[in-house]
Amino acid sequence: MTETLVPFDEVIAKYDPALGLEVHVELNTNTKMFCGCPTVFGGEPNTQVCPTCLGLPGAMPVVNAKAVESAIRIGLALNCSIAEWCRFARKNYFYPDMPKNFQTSQYDEPIAFDGWLDVEVEGETFRVEIERAHMEEDTGKSTHVGGATGRIHGADYSLVDYNRAGIPLIEIVTRPILVPAEKAPAVARAYVGQLRDLILALGVSDARMDQGSIRADVNLSLAPKGADKLGTRSETKNVNSLRSVERAVRFEMSRHAGILDAGGAVLQETRHFHEDTGTTSSGREKSDAEDYRYFPEPDLVPVAPSREWVEELRGTLPENPTQKRARLQEEWGFSDLEMRDTVGAGALDLVEQTVAAGAAPQAARKWWLTELARRANDAGVELGDLAVTPAQVAEVQSLVDAKTINDKLARQVFDGLLAGEGTPAEIIAARGLAVVSDEGALSAAVDKAIAENPDIADKIRDGKVAAAGALIGAIMKEMRGQADAGRVRELILEKLS
Ligand SMILES: [Zn+2]
């Protein structure tokens, strides 16, 4: 079927979108949701399974207390109410990667409900209302072999790995997000991004979108501007990067508008997102909740967290990442651009730790975002994975401040640190990097430079002080960058005045 895509500018002139985001967070508990199987990522297929997570007859599940704790902390961080009593429910459907033929989830009794998250887009704040955050288990993973697309259609055979079956998930569901049409793609992206930051700050998941430990389903519908009823929604499943969230919203808006402009009806269905083209394609027609025949799980006791425990967990919440960012920006005196670059480079925590170790914020930012970012890029690793610690960066800067070394020599100290040559002080000693500020040696070097560059010396004698730069350059070169440049300049001007 060919689709008519309406240009985004035309979509936003005619229609209002309603967004809905369902984000699945895989928790980083050591064991699964209802059994003691390990949750380590990347194990040999079907080695981390037992009768319970394989759904064998007679196997009895037991709730993982740590997963409940993480669910409550996520709920509290999202400003939710925490249920005093709630149950798990069976969501019945058949799928080969779901061995029990039902998923143990929560239905009308979620552990957390009625919250919100304030999302910032280009300096503007949008409140996203959270309908619920509930606990459930992950399914296994199917691999379809032989087809061109990796999907089941056209595949020769399929393999199922149940290692993932039963890993604890928290599903966080928003209420319809009604924002100005032109902002919808950016708000969707910002929401998922800020939710990810919050999850990371809570330490309840490794929050890797690329490994699927955070997955977003993007619901979208359009209605003609001014309509009092929401349109029919599509649900784009398992979108795996922030950029893709934004693109999926944009594409679906254009696609829905094409159908509505032609007088058609949008089908309520799930869709697949294609990273390579930024487009979606039809998945399956979406079941309504009643098709799942939810009923309370008879094999599990209800979860009834005491108010004392909930309050205790509230005390463990980290500072909200968005607020923390604003606080640090003010404390550090960074411009919006400097802050954005720092966050974008993944250097916020590193700069924070470097400042905590005694460096000035601008110096900390400078080293991480220039010299060290370049080296991380060259090595193809994350900034935080470089073999240089924030404490070492602070130490290097303190040696610069003390004029033991200058910025140029500091770069060589970083070379030494990355090569594992020891502490900054050891590297300076071993490589002979200290700045020369010995008066006799500097004076001799200045005399030599003056003798070798009589034309420049004459200019300086005539009052053209700017010409001193050329002499300083010659001396720094001669002394392999190790001269105290400030003192050299003073000596030149003294000798030629
Ligand atoms: Zn198991």
Side-chain angles (χ1 to χ4, degrees):
M1 191 182 79
T2 47
E3 280 158 343
T4 312
L5 298 175
V6 177
F8 191 71
D9 286 349
E10 292 175 31
V11 179
I12 63 178
K14 278 179 77 173
Y15 296 102
D16 281 327
L19 274 173
L21 291 153
E22 294 174 16
V23 175
H24 288 90
V25 178
E26 200 177 274
L27 298 179
N28 59 1
T29 52
N30 293 326
T31 56
K32 291 186 181 180
M33 187 80 215
F34 303 114
C35 63
C37 289
T39 54
V40 185
F41 182 78
E44 280 289 302
N46 298 311
T47 54
Q48 296 166 192
V49 293
C50 74
T52 299
C53 56
L54 286 175
L56 300 187
M60 292 295 273
V62 178
V63 177
N64 181 335
K66 188 73 187 175
V68 176
E69 179 186 300
S70 295
I72 294 173
R73 292 180 72 234
I74 290 172
L76 290 172
L78 291 171
N79 307 291
C80 288
S81 301
I82 304 301
E84 299 197 16
W85 189 90
C86 63
R87 286 176 296 186
F88 286 93
R90 291 189 181 183
K91 181 181 183 181
N92 297 281
Y93 64 105
F94 170 77
Y95 213 71
D97 59 17
M98 205 178 56
K100 295 185 293 191
N101 283 342
F102 62 84
Q103 181 185 28
T104 308
S105 180
Q106 292 193 292
Y107 179 47
D108 51 352
E109 299 169 1
I111 181 100
F113 50 92
D114 290 344
W116 46 267
L117 181 66
D118 278 340
V119 168
E120 214 182 285
V121 176
E122 289 162 358
E124 212 179 331
T125 302
F126 299 91
R127 175 155 294 190
V128 174
E129 293 187 9
I130 309 292
E131 182 186 295
R132 55 194 276 138
H134 69 249
M135 301 179 279
E136 60 183 33
E137 58 179 340
D138 210 343
T139 59
K141 192 176 185 323
S142 302
T143 307
H144 306 295
V145 182
T149 60
R151 303 201 184 281
I152 196 164
H153 298 285
D156 295 329
Y157 59 95
S158 298
L159 300 169
V160 191
D161 174 10
Y162 291 115
N163 284 354
R164 202 179 66 181
I167 287 190
L169 295 179
I170 304 300
E171 179 174 344
I172 300 159
V173 183
T174 67
R175 292 218 165 81
I177 306 167
L178 306 169
V179 291
E182 69 276 13
K183 305 272 189 194
V187 169
R189 175 188 184 138
Y191 167 73
V192 178
Q194 288 177 34
L195 182 58
R196 184 195 60 184
D197 290 350
L198 189 64
I199 297 293
L200 271 177
L202 285 164
V204 294
S205 167
D206 60 3
R208 292 279 300 262
M209 289 192 85
D210 58 334
Q211 288 184 359
S213 52
I214 288 196
R215 310 193 283 272
D217 298 344
V218 177
N219 290 316
L220 184 108
S221 65
L222 288 187
K225 276 200 179 302
D228 51 9
K229 199 163 142 264
L230 300 181
T232 303
R233 68 191 164 85
S234 61
E235 181 178 347
T236 305
K237 304 288 284 183
N238 295 335
V239 184
N240 277 341
S241 73
L242 297 181
R243 179 166 171 265
S244 296
V245 168
E246 184 166 357
R247 291 168 88 206
V249 172
R250 199 172 261 272
F251 179 83
E252 281 296 281
M253 285 173 72
S254 292
R255 188 182 70 82
H256 281 223
I259 296 168
L260 297 173
D261 276 1
V266 173
L267 192 63
Q268 184 173 326
E269 62 178 352
T270 63
R271 313 262 314 166
H272 301 296
F273 182 73
H274 305 283
E275 295 277 346
D276 47 350
T277 54
T279 60
T280 67
S281 63
S282 183
R284 62 183 157 84
E285 249 185 271
K286 176 74 179 169
S287 310
D288 283 324
E290 54 264 35
D291 296 334
Y292 291 121
R293 291 163 37 248
Y294 281 100
F295 63 87
E297 166 61 63
D299 288 344
L300 286 165
V301 294
V303 175
S306 73
R307 295 301 95 179
E308 292 74 24
W309 189 36
V310 170
E311 288 317 304
E312 193 187 310
L313 293 177
R314 197 189 297 281
T316 69
L317 295 186
E319 184 179 9
N320 175 289
T322 310
Q323 287 161 7
K324 178 179 176 182
R325 209 168 287 175
R327 174 178 64 78
L328 289 176
Q329 182 176 356
E330 186 168 337
E331 283 176 16
W332 294 346
F334 281 11
S335 69
D336 288 348
L337 182 66
E338 286 169 343
M339 200 64 187
R340 236 188 351 260
D341 286 350
T342 304
V343 172
L348 189 70
D349 291 346
L350 296 166
V351 170
E352 188 188 9
Q353 290 162 26
T354 307
V355 171
Q362 286 293 0
R365 188 184 68 82
K366 179 187 74 180
W367 290 124
W368 285 110
L369 264 65
T370 57
E371 199 60 27
L372 295 167
R374 185 175 60 73
R375 287 152 194 269
N377 194 38
D378 289 348
V381 299
E382 296 289 319
L383 205 47
D385 293 336
L386 278 181
V388 175
T389 65
Q392 288 170 331
V393 174
E395 191 180 342
V396 169
Q397 180 57 37
S398 76
L399 292 165
V400 173
D401 292 340
K403 292 192 163 39
T404 305
I405 52 172
N406 53 31
D407 280 8
K408 201 170 164 197
L409 296 171
R411 287 183 202 124
Q412 295 184 51
V413 176
F414 286 125
D415 285 336
L417 285 169
L418 289 168
E421 292 172 17
T423 67
E426 287 165 356
I427 293 163
I428 289 167
R431 292 193 175 206
L433 295 179
V435 166
V436 175
S437 46
D438 172 68
E439 196 71 11
L442 291 181
S443 183
V446 170
D447 288 342
K448 181 162 176 273
I450 289 171
E452 285 172 358
N453 299 280
D455 297 352
I456 298 173
D458 283 344
K459 281 187 191 164
I460 299 169
R461 280 194 194 95
D462 291 345
K464 294 192 179 104
V465 178
L471 281 188
I472 297 169
I475 293 162
M476 292 303 276
K477 196 174 170 198
E478 177 83 16
M479 299 184 71
R480 297 189 356 255
Q482 287 176 247
D484 177 344
R487 184 60 192 141
V488 165
R489 182 185 168 82
E490 286 169 11
L491 283 171
I492 291 169
L493 297 180
E494 275 169 29
K495 287 172 192 278
L496 295 177
S497 63

